[in-house]
Amino acid sequence: QGRRFGAQIDGTENGRVRVRRLTELPGNEPEVRVTLYPGLPKLDKLDFVVQKAAELGAARVVPVEMERSVARISGDGAKKPERCEWCVSRPDPKSLQNKTERWQKIAWEAAKQCGRGRVPEVLAPLSWKEALVDMRARELLLVPWEEAGMEGQRLQQVFAAHTAARDIGILIGPEGGISAEEIEQAGGERVTLGPRILRTETASVAALSVVMSLWGDI
């Protein structure tokens, strides 16, 4: 719930540990609320993204099925890519639920490891249309795009114009990048992460790190 306490173990019984609260510890949740929208990558990469997002202070991770995503959740009849467990035209809802629970557990373990006072929320993957609704509810949406090139805005420039933003979304493209149509529909502030093209999982960590440095507590 965002608060942390020092406590003393008073006893154990029936597989439970009873503790007595002693004092409240300083909070360590960032004042800025960041939602990361990673374009649905190969699923082992999403494990990594969820873990690092939790460590860096993200409030939510919302995977998004995008035009160039390798993994699919919708019934679009697409051919199942090699080594993808659930890229099928009609995904098994139970399988999707299990994977979402796994990602939430990864977030919980990462939050515990780094001593956070709150566990990030990890949603089940959204379709592009569903994600647009969620992204438009954010106060500020940042869209790192490799085609922005060196002429694109830097995150520092966006920060200078939006220093008071406290509800920020970051949209990251999947392995194939963000399509031109998606860029137009997403809106937001298109930014560059520099002259090198980053892997999707690297871009997620890099963008979140810079945002938390500018708006947050890093």
Side-chain angles (χ1 to χ4, degrees):
Q1 296 177 339
R3 300 169 67 187
R4 304 189 306 150
F5 297 89
Q8 176 178 306
I9 296 177
D10 277 354
T12 61
E13 55 182 309
N14 300 324
R16 296 177 179 270
V17 178
R18 185 176 63 256
V19 299
R20 177 163 49 90
R21 188 177 68 187
L22 300 178
T23 183
E24 185 163 4
L25 303 174
N28 64 356
E29 286 299 302
E31 294 184 3
V32 64
R33 176 179 171 84
V34 179
T35 300
L36 181 66
Y37 299 93
L40 199 59
K42 294 178 181 178
L43 298 188
D44 57 340
K45 294 183 179 181
L46 196 52
D47 290 358
F48 174 86
V49 169
V50 168
Q51 182 187 64
K52 301 311 169 190
E55 292 179 32
L56 289 167
R60 301 166 72 228
V61 179
V62 183
V64 183
E65 180 184 16
M66 301 177 70
E67 182 178 328
R68 297 173 181 171
S69 291
V70 174
R72 315 299 297 181
I73 60 172
S74 60
D76 58 3
K79 181 180 178 182
K80 180 179 178 181
E82 185 179 359
R83 294 191 302 277
C84 184
E85 299 176 45
W86 59 302
C87 303
V88 294
S89 58
R90 294 184 181 181
D92 175 9
K94 182 63 176 178
S95 175
L96 182 56
Q97 179 184 347
N98 289 342
K99 292 181 187 302
T100 304
E101 290 174 355
R102 168 182 166 79
W103 297 324
Q104 188 63 69
K105 182 179 179 182
I106 289 172
W108 183 87
E109 290 174 344
K112 179 181 177 182
Q113 180 272 322
C114 64
R116 284 191 64 172
R118 188 182 302 275
V119 179
E121 179 186 16
V122 184
L123 272 62
L126 300 183
S127 69
W128 176 246
K129 289 184 178 180
E130 292 170 328
L132 282 176
V133 174
D134 199 276
M135 289 188 290
R136 288 168 181 165
R138 308 280 68 80
E139 181 182 357
L140 173 65
L141 179 66
L142 304 170
V143 187
W145 193 36
E146 65 273 15
E147 294 186 36
M150 289 305 295
E151 295 75 25
Q153 294 186 93
R154 299 297 185 98
L155 282 166
Q156 291 90 335
Q157 293 172 291
V158 179
F159 172 70
H162 299 275
T163 55
R166 288 295 176 266
D167 184 2
I168 300 174
I170 306 173
L171 174 63
I172 302 293
E175 285 90 347
I178 305 175
S179 71
E181 182 178 4
E182 289 169 334
I183 280 288
E184 291 301 322
Q185 292 175 348
E189 299 284 348
R190 303 173 196 174
V191 298
T192 176
L193 293 179
R196 292 164 297 280
I197 296 178
L198 306 179
R199 291 179 180 269
T200 179
E201 66 272 27
T202 308
S204 291
V205 173
L208 182 54
S209 297
V210 176
V211 166
M212 292 302 297
S213 176
L214 293 171
W215 279 274
D217 54 6
I218 291 181

